[in-house]
Amino acid sequence: MPETAIDLTKLMKEAVGRAAAARVQSNSIVGLGTGSTTAYALQFIGERLQNGELSNVVGIPTSFQAEVLARKYGIPLTTLDVVDRIDIAIDGADEVDPQKNLIKGGGAAHTREKIVDALADVFLVVVDSGKLVENLGSTFLLPVEVIPMALTPVMRALEKLGGQPELRMGVKKAGPVVTDQGNLVIDVKFDRIDNPAELEKTINNLPGVLENGLFVGVADVVLVGEVIDGKPSVREF
Ligand code: 5RP
């Protein structure tokens, strides 16, 4: 991506992260998503806590990354063993279709993300406008978390379903990406995903699959960051 495009994407992510953080209320339990867009939301929630605008907020992290950022920005943490509900979850996505169905898992955190996001009263998705697609799977491969010993049979099964699977490899790390749960991630190219709800269930039914990155019917609100006339703005999708 050229440098100016990277700068514009950063502006969109920052704007949408700030808008999401503004929707968090005092006395609430917040699901803390993973990724570079959510990182801005965590930063601004932290700022609102530090300047006294917000109080009595606790977060449930969806990944090691979210946990580290929450500590950095001073957001107190809790776990699903302690709370019985989540008021709002804020999380990014890799693709969003017109029905607000998502592909997630660009950061290999989709298993914990789905647990937390699905439990929230309001699941608020934060994306830049480049994430909006007509059909899921058109720009991003579908991530599937798999238990290591089941890697080969699951790859074969994904091929039988019409996909082209590849094991996700690490960057600045030799060998495959290992998830926060100690598993592997297969990224699958599908020519078309016509029925995301059915595909989500079919893949999760393969023995050895922990979770896939299709989030169907889970998102409540999608905030989209855009740049119009060089200025960042946010709209509700
Ligand atoms: C991590 C995710 C992220 O939310 C998704 O990849 C979006 O990331 P970013 O905001 O960095 O574009 O699903 O597993």
Side-chain angles (χ1 to χ4, degrees):
M1 222 191 274
E3 229 165 74
T4 43
I6 294 171
D7 289 348
L8 290 181
T9 304
K10 193 170 164 283
L11 281 180
M12 292 189 260
K13 289 182 180 207
E14 188 174 346
V16 79
R18 189 186 288 276
R23 296 199 178 200
V24 173
Q25 298 184 349
S26 291
N27 308 309
S28 62
I29 301 163
V30 184
L32 306 175
T34 300
S36 55
T37 318
T38 314
Y40 284 112
L42 268 55
Q43 180 188 331
F44 295 123
I45 292 169
E47 276 182 22
R48 293 187 66 208
L49 282 167
Q50 306 319 314
N51 69 22
E53 228 179 88
L54 270 184
S55 58
N56 194 25
V57 165
V58 285
I60 303 200
T62 56
S63 62
F64 184 70
Q65 183 212 35
E67 196 175 324
V68 168
L69 288 177
R71 290 193 203 289
K72 175 175 172 189
Y73 297 128
I75 305 170
L77 294 174
T78 188
T79 69
L80 292 175
D81 297 321
V82 177
V83 300
D84 57 4
R85 38 172 269 284
I86 297 173
D87 294 291
I88 183 170
I90 300 173
D91 208 344
D94 302 297
E95 284 189 346
V96 181
D97 80 3
Q99 287 74 43
K100 294 190 203 144
N101 296 322
L102 318 174
I103 285 186
K104 287 184 51 54
H110 54 280
T111 299
R112 290 194 198 185
E113 291 174 325
K114 201 179 280 190
I115 295 166
V116 172
D117 298 344
L119 278 173
D121 291 346
V122 177
F123 172 27
L124 173 58
V125 181
V126 284
V127 288
D128 60 81
S129 57
K131 305 288 185 65
L132 304 180
V133 296
E134 273 308 307
N135 291 98
L136 292 180
S138 45
T139 63
F140 204 81
L141 307 182
L142 177 63
V144 177
E145 180 167 356
V146 60
I147 290 168
M149 60 102 50
L151 178 65
T152 304
V154 169
M155 284 183 103
R156 283 194 201 115
L158 289 166
E159 273 170 7
K160 279 194 187 143
L161 290 175
Q164 294 164 257
E166 58 183 56
L167 178 62
R168 190 181 296 183
M169 302 307 282
V171 177
K172 291 196 179 177
K173 185 256 179 200
V177 166
V178 177
T179 68
D180 288 355
Q181 291 72 241
N183 295 315
L184 304 173
V185 175
I186 303 171
D187 290 308
V188 196
K189 167 96 189 103
F190 284 101
D191 284 339
R192 286 183 67 90
I193 299 181
D194 287 323
N195 189 336
E198 195 181 295
L199 188 63
E200 181 184 14
K201 287 193 199 120
T202 304
I203 293 179
N204 278 358
N205 249 344
L206 300 173
V209 169
L210 193 58
E211 189 55 82
N212 70 78
L214 283 166
F215 284 47
V216 179
V218 191
D220 295 302
V221 180
V222 179
L223 293 182
V224 183
E226 302 174 305
V227 173
I228 298 171
D229 297 332
K231 288 201 185 112
S233 70
V234 176
R235 70 178 160 97
E236 192 167 325
F237 175 69

